[in-house]
């Protein structure tokens, strides 16, 4: 034991770091399910109980798991399924069928996929034979033949449930829910969705067949819990091979979470969104800065990661613009101020720009009109300005009505950071009127 | 598909014969003495007289209906030719659940005298396919074992409830006994002496047989002219077989008989060609005989689905065909002799399958063949020298044929019943071959037999192909034929026939496999279905969910028991609260079934009010009544608009449930149209339930039109019950002609009142004490106030039992479901989650919602552009002392709220210009946010 410990403590730092990277990445990229879902114990119990009854008693059920994106719907379901399949009776008895509204975009595809996953007898190899109508009849017949006590329960898991409601006539939903409400093969229909109004999407006869069980995953996580969660997410597990590194790392994480700038950054993230997905993104960025030469997460790493996360998507585009293009944008900003957000066309912007050149400009030369048009088109391609008319072909390019897709604050910020921006341009931007 | 087209091609012409006599002055009905049938384009005529047994066109071409003809009559205009019949049933027509009442395995040729009343005994004579021979077998006597295929045996009668011993009086062929049913008592006891002999044998014997010289001339000429008619022969043959059954054995039989009687259309044609000016009168008589046989042959093909048959009939044929030659007209005298022969030869050829009971039946065809030959042997011996130039050919040619045929039948039978290996078949056929060798030298036959031979070749060939036997035999056969006939013309003819037959076989294959219980070799079915463009469902795939390894656990405690009972799927003992509706629907359907008429009913009601359940209950009761024989039997078919992919699939599903056929939608529509508009005999009433009718709407509304039009047809006997949710569906979506056909028989299911809901729960629980009275009342009142949906009610109760179980510290200690549990369940199901969602949202999200409301207030509109809202948002952030967020973050917050549908957003490509609306009322948002701050 002691010998092994000695050996372990001498594990090279590089190896430790790669171990850490592996463990934490698995966590952050949702490759490994957590031991126990956090903050959703009652929902977990409810769902597990429901599915267990389907699996063991052959009771048909239908349930919807509703929660905003990143609230852990799939994680909850997968945890429940994992737990369910650990039960010996259930393991060989249930047939899970996974469907996703983004993949099975219509009933025809969905039916083929169900048939394939159930491996019914019209599946040859990996192909499902038969027309749409035949497939439907076949599946319904198969489900009809089953009964509560003798056939294996089928768990239909419909991810992005709301998209299934957009299928024609909601045939698939009607039939699945109808089977779940009649004495046929036992099935459980589990829908996952982020839409709170999903029931309003269902047609009335489909709705009537749905059992109206909804499991809401709305996290009422306080900031303290959030902080705890960050700490536990970054901490290494007990069975980490190198104990010395393990202690060092976990101590480092503890001090990191008490550091005030870090807490501020986390608070900001917490205020913005409580879901774990965005947190994982942040922690992932911080983790990627860890290397053998720097074997710990430092507060600066987290701050930098936060800055990358929070950065405005258009700021970078603005930094890459030429002076001429920047001037055009400033002209547009002034037009927006004057006309209170009314759309403008190229001619107006050009006039505004020429006024600036005549009156104030010392550093910028006059540009030919075609050059200005080219710059204007470039802005349009970057979608910093957007055409208001749908039919672009009819109107001459110069007179197409446009709108600026930027906020004033974004423009001003870009000007501040723009390298070697001429002062007269800056002043023109600051001035109240062109 | 093919079958129906061919039916049309062979058009039969029906004519009355004899003097009409009035037998019912009131209705002005005329009776007729006999009916003549002829096939269009051919001169031969079949005469059918009352007292004969006939085959009647039905749904199943293999098993046409059997009946005894009682009387012909027509109305004044003579347009509608009708006949009164006494029905016989095949076992396949007896309801599945009653088949066991027979108490023994049925004889394949067995039919039952029908004593029920449900079937119309009036048929259209155009549905008569031909005549058949029916023999009454006394109750205790065994079936004549080696019977021919064309005789049916009747032993028992069937009165829709039980099989009874048939009174032999009913079956006697005397005219007096043609009145078995009281319904027919108005039928005058007549029937001229000329028509009295019903059994076919005497009739045929009474006919003067054709002059042997004529026959011989015909034979020799036909032999030489075979080439001339070869092409025509092929097509005609194909056609005639086409219109008949597909079963190889029957075809062999029929072809043989036809051949021996010089009677196939082709042969007849040839006879006419070659004989030309032969003694006219005699030939016509002979033609009548031919036609009779032909008709019989055609009709019998259909019925001889099973391969086993009895010998006696073919013996009769043998006799009747050669009355002049044999000089012996009594079939009984001859019967003794060939029987012995047959049994001897049987012993010789069945060493491989000795001890197997079925084998004796299996080999009957060969035996029959032998015996038939044996009869001919003495009879034809007289003519031996005259036909000497023809005979060697035919004899040699015939032997392999008969061998092959018998081998074919044997092997088929064996494969079916014994599953022996293929080489065994070879063995048997070899043995067969040897046993026939001695006859080669002795036998003779006329040239028309050679015709038989070639036809049979074709048929055998077809049989072989159908059975997927290796083609190894085919070259042998053709080779031998070539050698023997030494005539290219015959070869050509055979080929053309073969082609025709093979073609037909291919086309028929699927039908055969679909219709006959016999298991077809899968290899045969595949090429037709292995259509590369649209892969079909494998034919033999059975839809089923794998069964579980561990049986489902039964409910353990009271709450679990209650939960199981409260599940919507559990079928209650009775349906409470829908007594009135039940009675109305019951009366409607019952009256229609009793009267044998049709009608439509439209039932509406919001979901979960028990529409479908009530109808199912009605049908269950009616089925029970039908079982008790209080009302005629009927069929119940159910389709659901939601359970099909396209409205036209309704036809396919109806047809599949009616006849088990799988066809395309268009064809199904045509078949159903035919079925419901033609007066098919023995049709029972069909009750069709169309659920979710509104889904069957098409632009032309032809599906709905047909569904409502069929019941109005006179012969349809169709009752259509339709269900939809909206009361005014007929007025809203149906065009006038559809709504008019739907009629005004409507019923509306009202949502359940709270008392009814309470009663439903109580009756479901059925003395399982799981709920407090108040709790139950709360649920029912709440649901009645909201929707009156019984499903909802039951689901809430079920959820309440779960909550009750979880709330208890120990599952076994859980008491009754109380108010608090029900309240919690109601809360879960009915409370809006928006407010909770807002409360659980992040700070920035809440701030954004406030910014939206602030912007709405500023604009005085319920809609704002993101850019404007974001300005408000930043201002609010400053007020709150938060660091303002960037535009990207703001958009992300906005999108998150949009994904939850707290906000309604435009497409996100509009970026900062997208419009924002609230999906919740402003008050709700403010209420939720205020609670957060407090």
């Amino acid at each position: 034991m002691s010998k092994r410990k000695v050996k372990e403590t001498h594990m090279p730092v590089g190896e430790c770091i790669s171990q850490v990277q592996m463990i934490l990445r698995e966590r952050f990229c949702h490759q490994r399910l957590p031991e126990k879902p956090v903050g959703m114990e009652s929902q977990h119990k409810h769902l597990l109980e429901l599915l267990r009854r389907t699996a063991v008693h052959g009771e048909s059920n239908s349930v919807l798991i509703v929660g905003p994106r990143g609230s852990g719907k799939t994680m909850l379901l997968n945890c429940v399924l994992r737990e369910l399949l650990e039960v010996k009776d259930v393991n060989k008895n249930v047939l899970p069928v996974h469907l996703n509204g983004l993949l099975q975009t219509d009933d025809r595809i969905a039916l083929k996929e169900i048939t394939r996953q159930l491996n019914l007898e019209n599946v040859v190899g990996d192909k499902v034979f038969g027309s749409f109508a035949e497939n439907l009849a076949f599946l319904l017949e198969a489900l009809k033949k089953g009964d509560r006590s003798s056939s294996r329960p089928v768990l239909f898991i419909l991810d992005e449930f709301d998209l299934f409601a957009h299928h024609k006539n909601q045939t698939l939903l009607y039939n699945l829910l109808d089977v779940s409400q009649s004495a046929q093969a036992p099935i459980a229909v589990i829908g996952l969705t982020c839409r709170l109004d999903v029931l309003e999407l269902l047609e009335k006869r489909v709705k009537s067949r749905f059992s109206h069980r909804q499991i809401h995953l709305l996290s009422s996580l306080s900031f303290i819990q959030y902080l705890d969660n960050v700490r536990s997410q970054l901490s290494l597990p007990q069975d980490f091979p190198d104990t010395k590194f393990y202690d060092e790392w976990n101590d480092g994480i503890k001090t990191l979470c008490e550091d005030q700038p870090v807490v501020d950054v986390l608070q900001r993230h917490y205020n913005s969104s409580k879901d774990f997905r965005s947190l994982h993104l942040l922690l992932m960025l911080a983790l990627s800065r860890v290397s053998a030469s720097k074997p710990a997460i430092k507060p600066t790493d987290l701050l930098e990661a936060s800055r990358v996360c929070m950065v405005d998507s258009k700021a970078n585009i603005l930094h890459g613009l030429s002076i001429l293009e920047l001037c055009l944008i400033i002209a547009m900003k002034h037009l927006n101020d004057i006309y209170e957000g009314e759309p403008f066309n190229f001619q107006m912007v050009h006039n505004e720009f020429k006024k600036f050149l005549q009156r104030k400009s010392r550093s910028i030369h006059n540009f030919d009109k075609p050059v200005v048009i080219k710059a204007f088109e470039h802005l349009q391609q970057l979608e910093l300005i957007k055409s208001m008319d749908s039919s672009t072909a009819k109107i001459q390019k110069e007179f197409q009505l446009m709108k600026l897709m930027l906020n004033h604050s974004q423009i001003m910020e870009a000007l501040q950071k723009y390298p070697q921006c001429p002062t007269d341009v800056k002043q023109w931007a600051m001035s109240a009127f062109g | 598909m093919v079958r129906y087209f061919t039916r049309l091609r062979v058009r039969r012409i029906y004519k009355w014969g004899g003097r009409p006599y009035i037998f019912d002055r009131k209705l002005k009905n005329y009776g007729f003495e006999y009916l003549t049938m002829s096939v269009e384009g051919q001169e031969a005529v079949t005469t059918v007289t009352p007292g004969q047994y006939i085959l009647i066109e039905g749904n199943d071409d293999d098993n046409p209906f059997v009946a005894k003809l009682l009387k012909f009559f027509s109305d004044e205009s003579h347009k509608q030719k009708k006949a009164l019949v006494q029905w016989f049933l095949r076992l396949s027509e007896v309801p599945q659940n009653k088949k066991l009442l027979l108490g023994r395995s049925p004889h394949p040729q067995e039919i039952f005298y029908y004593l029920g009343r449900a079937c119309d005994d009036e048929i259209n004579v155009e549905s008569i396919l031909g005549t058949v021979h029916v023999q009454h077998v006394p109750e205790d006597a065994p079936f004549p074992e080696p019977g021919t295929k064309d005789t049916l045996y009747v032993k028992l009668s069937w009165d829709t409830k039980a099989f009874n011993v048939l009174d032999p009086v009913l079956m006697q062929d005397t005219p007096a006994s043609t009145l078995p049913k009281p319904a027919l008592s108005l039928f005058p006891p007549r029937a001229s002496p000329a028509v009295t002999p019903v059994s076919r044998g005497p009739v045929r014997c009474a006919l003067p047989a054709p002059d042997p010289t004529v026959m011989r001339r015909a034979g020799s000429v036909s032999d030489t002219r075979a080439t001339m008619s070869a092409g025509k022969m092929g097509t005609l043959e194909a056609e005639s077989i086409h219109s008949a059954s597909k079963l190889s054995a029957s075809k062999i039989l029929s072809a043989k008989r036809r051949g021996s009687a010089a009677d196939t259309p082709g042969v007849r044609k040839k006879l006419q060609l070659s004989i030309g000016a032969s003694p006219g009168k005699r030939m016509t008589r002979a033609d009548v005989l031919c036609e009779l046989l032909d008709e019989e042959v055609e009709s019998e093909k259909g019925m001889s689905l099973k391969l086993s048959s009895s010998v006696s009939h073919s013996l009769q044929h043998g006799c009747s065909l050669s009355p002049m030659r044999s000089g012996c007209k009594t079939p009984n005298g001859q019967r003794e002799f060939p029987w012995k022969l047959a049994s001897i030869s049987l012993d010789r050829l069945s060493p491989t399958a000795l001890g197997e009971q079925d084998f004796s039946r299996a080999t009957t065809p060969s035996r029959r063949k032998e015996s038939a030959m044996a009869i001919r042997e003495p009879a034809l011996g007289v003519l031996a020298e005259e036909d000497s130039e023809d005979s060697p050919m035919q004899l040699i040619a015939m032997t392999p044929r008969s061998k092959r045929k018998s081998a074919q039948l044997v092997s088929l039978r064996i494969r079916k019943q014994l599953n022996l290996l293929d080489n065994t078949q070879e063995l048997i056929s070899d043995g067969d071959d040897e046993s026939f060798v001695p006859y080669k030298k002795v036998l003779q036959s006329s040239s028309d037999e050679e015709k038989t031979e070639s036809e049979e070749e074709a048929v055998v060939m077809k049989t072989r192909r159908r059975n997927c036997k290796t083609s190894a035999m085919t070259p042998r056969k053709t080779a031998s034929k070539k050698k023997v006939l030494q005539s290219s013309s015959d070869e050509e003819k055979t080929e053309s026939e073969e082609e025709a037959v093979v073609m037909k076989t291919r086309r028929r294959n699927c039908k055969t496999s679909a219709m006959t219980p016999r298991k077809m070799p899968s290899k045969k079915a595949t090429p037709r279905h292995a259509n590369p463009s649209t892969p079909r469902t494998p034919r033999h795939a059975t839809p089923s969910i794998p069964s579980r390894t561990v049986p489902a656990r039964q409910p353990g405690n009271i709450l679990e028991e209650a939960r199981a009972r409260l599940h919507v799927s559990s079928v209650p003992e009775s349906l409470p609260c829908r007594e009135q509706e039940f009675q109305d629907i019951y009366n409607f359907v019952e009256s229609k079934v009793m009267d044998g008429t049709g009608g439509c009913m439209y039932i509406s009601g919001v979901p979960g009010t028990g529409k479908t359940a009530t109808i199912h209950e009605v049908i269950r009761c009616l089925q029970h009544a039908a079982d008790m024989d209080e009302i005629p039997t009927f069929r119940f078919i159910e389709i659901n608009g939601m359970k099909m992919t396209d409205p036209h699939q309704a036809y396919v599903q109806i047809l599949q449930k009616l006849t088990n056929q799988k066809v395309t939608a268009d064809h199904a529509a045509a078949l159903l149209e035919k079925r419901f508009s033609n007066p098919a005999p023995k049709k029972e009433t069909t009750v069709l339930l169309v659920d979710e009718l509104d889904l069957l709407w098409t632009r032309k509304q032809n599906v709905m039109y047909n569904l409502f039009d069929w019941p109005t047809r006179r012969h349809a006997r169709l009752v259509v019950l339709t269900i939809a949710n909206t009361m005014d569906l007929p007025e809203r979506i149906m065009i006038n002609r559809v709504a008019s056909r739907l009629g005004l028989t409507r019923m509306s299911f009202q949502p359940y009142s709270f008392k009814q809901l309470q009663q439903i729960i109580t009756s479901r629980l059925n003395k399982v004490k799981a709920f407090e009275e108040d709790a139950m009342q709360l649920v029912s009142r709440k649901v009645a106030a909201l929707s009156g949906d019984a499903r909802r009610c039951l689901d809430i109760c079920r959820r309440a039992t779960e909550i009750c179980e979880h709330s208890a510290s120990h599952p076994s200690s859980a008491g009754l479901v109380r108010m608090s549990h029900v309240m919690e369940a109601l809360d879960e199901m009915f409370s809006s989650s928006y407010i909770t969602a807002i409360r659980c949202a992040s700070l920035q999200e809440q701030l954004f919602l406030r910014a939206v409301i602030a912007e709405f207030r500023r604009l005085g509109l319920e809609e704002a552009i993101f850019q404007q809202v974001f300005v408000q948002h930043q201002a609010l952030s400053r007020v709150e002392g938060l660091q303002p967020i960037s535009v990207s973050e703001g958009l992300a917050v906005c999108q998150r709220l949009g994904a939850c549908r707290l906000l309604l957003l435009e497409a996100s490509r509009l970026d900062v210009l997208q419009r924002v609306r609230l999906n919740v009322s402003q008050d709700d948002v403010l209420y939720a946010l205020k609670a957060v701050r407090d």
Side-chain angles (χ1 to χ4, degrees), chain A residues 45-46 49-50 53-61 68-69 89 92-93 95 118 120-122 124 129-134 136 138 140-143 145 148-154 168-169 171 174-175 178 180-183 185 194-197 200 203-214 216 218-220 268 270-275 310-314 386 403-407 409-410, chain B residues 535-538 540-556 560 563-564 567-571 607-608 612 638 640 642-647 649 653 662 691-692 694-695 725-726 789 791-792 795 798-799 802 805-806 828-829 833-834 836-837 839-845 865 867 870-871 874 882-889 893 896 899-902 909-913 919:
Chain A
K45 193 181 168 195
H46 184 181
E49 206 45 47
L50 195 80
R53 262 182 287 126
T54 302
V56 176
H57 293 284
E59 180 184 300
S60 293
N61 273 315
R69 296 217 181 273
D89 276 9
K92 291 271 165 54
N93 270 343
L95 299 163
L118 283 178
L120 295 179
E121 283 190 36
N122 54 350
V124 177
F129 286 96
S131 65
F132 181 28
E134 279 174 329
L136 179 66
F138 196 86
L140 290 179
E141 189 61 29
L143 291 171
K145 272 193 181 169
R148 179 181 170 150
S149 52
S150 66
S151 15
R152 287 167 84 167
V154 188
K168 192 193 162 208
N169 289 342
T171 308
Y174 177 91
N175 286 309
D178 193 49
S180 82
Q181 297 252 322
S182 52
C194 63
R195 284 184 69 163
L196 297 168
D197 63 342
E200 288 158 39
E203 213 192 329
K204 56 184 184 300
R205 50 194 151 205
V206 181
K207 196 175 168 183
S208 167
R209 281 165 175 79
F210 170 60
S211 73
H212 279 64
R213 282 162 198 274
Q214 293 185 67
H216 287 283
L218 300 164
S219 70
S220 48
R268 205 176 126 91
Y270 171 78
N271 282 347
S272 172
S273 132
K274 287 179 187 175
D275 71 14
M310 297 278 186
V311 78
D312 193 273
S313 56
K314 280 177 183 150
K386 203 159 195 173
K403 265 200 164 183
L404 186 62
M405 307 292 281
L406 292 167
N407 213 357
S409 57
Q410 283 171 303
Chain B
R536 296 271 186 87
T537 312
H540 298 296
T542 45
S544 66
I545 296 287
S547 55
R548 52 193 298 157
T549 49
V550 184
R553 209 179 289 163
Q554 290 305 308
E560 280 180 7
R563 207 178 300 135
H567 199 283
V568 184
S569 71
S570 72
V571 182
T612 314
E638 187 182 4
N640 188 326
M642 272 294 211
K643 293 186 178 173
M644 52 191 72
T645 51
D646 154 65
Q649 287 292 321
Q653 294 200 358
K662 250 187 162 179
D691 219 336
E692 315 293 359
D694 48 337
L695 267 295
N725 289 136
T726 38
D789 187 337
R791 291 194 189 105
R792 193 74 325 100
D795 281 333
R798 224 149 52 86
R799 178 67 190 138
E802 284 169 27
E805 202 172 80
H806 292 165
E828 258 185 40
M829 290 195 177
S833 50
Y834 286 118
T836 339
R839 281 180 191 166
C840 293
S842 71
L843 198 59
Q844 293 289 357
E845 285 162 3
I865 290 175
Q867 222 168 8
F870 189 69
V871 174
Q874 280 180 319
L882 293 169
Q883 201 179 350
I885 53 172
S886 67
V887 179
S888 297
E889 269 180 284
V893 165
R896 274 202 295 274
C900 293
R901 287 300 188 277
L902 284 169
R909 70 185 158 77
L910 290 173
D911 208 39
V912 293
L913 296 179
N919 198 26

Side-chain angles (χ1 to χ4, degrees), chain B residues 352 411 419-430 469:
Chain B
T352 44
S411 62
N419 277 328
L420 284 185
L421 294 169
D422 278 2
N423 50 12
T424 321
Q425 297 164 28
E426 301 287 330
L427 216 75
I428 291 170
S429 62
D430 284 352
K469 275 191 93 173

Side-chain angles (χ1 to χ4, degrees), chain B residues 742-766:
Chain B
L742 174 58
L744 291 167
T745 321
R746 296 193 194 165
M747 178 178 290
S748 156
F749 278 60
Q750 296 303 319
Y752 287 113
S753 71
F754 88 90
K755 281 210 170 107
Q756 289 173 322
L757 289 172
Q758 208 170 340
Q759 201 183 334
I760 288 169
I761 303 172
T762 321
S763 79
R764 286 244 180 185
L765 285 173
N766 194 19

Side-chain angles (χ1 to χ4, degrees), chain B residues 18 101 111 125 145 149 179 219 299 311 327 340 403 447 505 518 564 597 658 684 692 737 798 854 894 921:
Chain B
L101 291 174
I111 55 173
V125 296
E145 189 51 37
K149 295 171 179 59
L179 310 169
S299 61
V311 115
K340 261 178 226 159
K403 174 212 77 187
S447 63
T505 318
R518 186 177 56 144
T597 52
L658 270 177
E684 51 187 11
E692 315 293 359
R737 62 167 189 270
R798 224 149 52 86
C894 181
S921 78

Side-chain angles (χ1 to χ4, degrees), chain A residues 215-259:
Chain A
I215 297 175
H216 287 283
L217 287 183
L218 300 164
S219 70
S220 48
L221 207 64
S222 70
F223 181 61
I224 308 297
Q225 287 167 315
Y226 188 80
L227 215 55
D228 280 345
N229 209 351
V230 172
R231 194 180 302 128
S232 67
Q233 290 280 325
L234 283 173
S235 299
L236 288 174
Q238 288 279 330
D239 55 351
F240 191 75
D242 193 329
T243 42
K244 185 164 170 257
F245 187 83
Y246 166 80
D247 292 337
E248 276 174 15
W249 177 271
N250 279 5
D251 287 344
I253 295 301
K254 206 173 176 192
T255 47
L256 179 76
C257 288
E258 282 157 7
D259 190 58

